[in-house]
Amino acid sequence: MTSSRITRPGVPALFAGAAVLALSLAACGAAPSSGNSSENSSGKSAESTSQEGAAPVSNGAAQINVSVEQVNGEEQCVPDYAFAPAGPVTFTVMNKDASGVSEVELLSDKRILGERENVIPGLKPVSFTVTLAGGQYQLYCPGASTENVPFTVTGSAASAAANGVSELLKEGTSGYAKYVTGQVENLVSAVAALQTAVDAGDVNAAQKAYAAARPFFERIEPVAESFPDLDPALDLRVADVEPGTEWTGFHPLEKDLFEAKAITASTKALAAGIVKNVHTLASLTKELENTGAYKPEELANGASGLLEEVQSSKITGEEEAYSKLDLLDFAANIEGSQQAFEYLKPALEEIDGTLSAQIEAQFENVNKALTGYQDEAALGGWKPYTDELKKSDGAKLTALIQALQAPLAKISEKVATV
């Protein structure tokens, strides 16, 4: 979990994938202001820099370029168009020179419909595609002088024509929904075992139970992140906690078990809170499955977003700072990303067989490389991600993920425009 997720009051945690649109069945409304003025000190509003008229449509999707840049000495997010027709919309984000802004999100009534993290100067443009109904939205850029930029979608999206590919996509999203529900059901059992070990005061057993529970959460992290308050309550790291805010979830429990190696009344309360919140997550994900809420492009965005999680917190060693179980989380993120891809693959093979084969080959490369880090004798079955291992292998792991993410990032627009 990145720090940008908790920098704004009243706005939800990160979402890059499967579940958010299920939560926005009501008409789209503008997200609340972060408290910043809609104008910068020069008197020039961010939206006034956008071109007039609706964004052009290419490859079946409206195309919006978002430039993260210095504007009159202030860091801003500047879309080249402020309007788009309803239907698939692709946002391509490039950070020119704004070091204080590293994330761009699309919001609808406090819900994150799509986003890209780790957007820093010097990197290639990145994109995400979402299918939008007519209404008011906002581009949210935490850290910018004007954090919220209005964005309007006009008209109504056309109904998708029934065809073989659309049926394959429907089957894929349905299958993925069941996969998520299954992972969360396993998580429910795993955190119950964790609470039992904690309540018994058995540090060693609790450490093992912690390692056993984490993969179930990490595999479906984009879905968990779609729920504004639930994800921070479960997965916030200490560096991301605002002053005066209670730190809850897996990571303060991890600190007690692996750094202090002690179980206190506070530790037991943390474990009980995790169990309660995971039960809530189970109820919400089951509702998403029952309502058929997942969309193909959300699976694709989520698959790519999981790789961003790997690069932003697992490779850096920030996620499991006390247990050093980052490679366990790393592998679970990769598995969750691959599952989202696998459910889309039958349709993608019809849409773009070459791209599908390329992604499949890159997953094989990553999984083959990861076998070298497995260790049956180690907690969780993976080598501890020590500073020495990070120094020697961090760059290699980053290159592997980047080679996979590049083709994987192309899927969302393709499946959204069938």
Side-chain angles (χ1 to χ4, degrees), residues 60 318 349 370 387:
E318 298 173 23
E349 286 176 338
L370 283 178
D387 290 341

Side-chain angles (χ1 to χ4, degrees), residues 362-383:
Q362 290 297 337
F363 268 118
E364 290 178 3
N365 289 340
V366 171
N367 288 325
K368 183 179 179 180
L370 283 178
T371 60
Y373 298 95
Q374 292 177 330
D375 182 354
E376 292 183 1
L379 183 65
W382 294 87
K383 293 179 180 179

Side-chain angles (χ1 to χ4, degrees), residues 386-405:
T386 60
D387 290 341
E388 293 77 16
L389 186 57
K390 178 172 63 175
K391 183 177 180 180
S392 63
D393 289 36
K396 178 175 68 175
L397 291 169
T398 298
L400 276 170
I401 295 304
Q402 290 175 342
L404 171 58
Q405 188 168 25

Side-chain angles (χ1 to χ4, degrees), residues 201-215:
D202 190 333
V203 173
N204 185 56
Q207 288 178 342
K208 293 178 180 178
Y210 176 89
R214 288 295 290 163

Side-chain angles (χ1 to χ4, degrees), residues 57-266:
V57 175
S58 176
N59 299 322
Q63 302 292 326
I64 304 290
N65 294 307
V66 181
S67 177
V68 184
E69 61 183 68
Q70 294 277 346
V71 178
N72 296 324
E74 296 186 342
E75 296 185 339
Q76 298 281 4
C77 282
V78 183
D80 59 353
Y81 290 89
F83 297 85
V89 182
T90 296
F91 293 85
T92 300
V93 183
M94 181 175 182
N95 191 328
K96 292 183 177 180
D97 55 5
S99 59
V101 180
S102 62
E103 182 177 349
V104 175
E105 301 172 354
L106 181 71
L107 305 180
S108 170
D109 194 20
K110 298 186 180 181
R111 300 179 180 94
I112 301 174
L113 306 185
E115 60 87 46
R116 275 293 172 260
E117 289 190 329
N118 305 311
V119 183
I120 60 178
L123 295 185
K124 294 180 180 179
V126 292
S127 64
F128 63 91
T129 300
V130 289
T131 300
L132 301 176
Q136 298 298 316
Y137 301 81
Q138 285 191 327
L139 284 168
Y140 176 74
C141 302
S145 298
T146 302
E147 291 191 328
N148 294 282
V149 179
F151 183 77
T152 303
V153 176
T154 59
S156 300
S159 300
N163 57 52
V165 174
S166 62
E167 287 303 309
L168 289 173
L169 290 172
K170 183 177 179 181
E171 291 172 8
T173 55
S174 177
Y176 181 77
K178 291 180 173 64
Y179 167 75
V180 170
T181 298
Q183 290 298 307
V184 177
E185 288 174 352
N186 289 334
L187 180 62
V188 168
S189 299
V191 297
L194 174 60
Q195 184 182 22
T196 297
V198 169
D199 285 348
D202 190 333
V203 173
N204 185 56
Q207 288 178 342
K208 293 178 180 178
Y210 176 89
R214 288 295 290 163
F216 297 117
F217 183 86
E218 292 293 322
R219 291 181 191 122
I220 54 89
E221 193 166 8
V223 181
E225 289 174 343
S226 71
F227 303 109
D229 301 317
L230 197 56
D231 177 63
L234 280 168
D235 203 36
L236 203 64
R237 300 195 308 268
V238 66
D240 303 334
V241 180
E242 293 179 333
T245 301
E246 183 182 9
W247 187 26
T248 65
F250 283 109
H251 295 303
L253 181 67
E254 175 202 6
K255 189 174 190 290
D256 285 356
L257 296 178
F258 291 91
E259 183 178 75
K261 294 182 173 61
I263 292 174
T264 66
S266 175

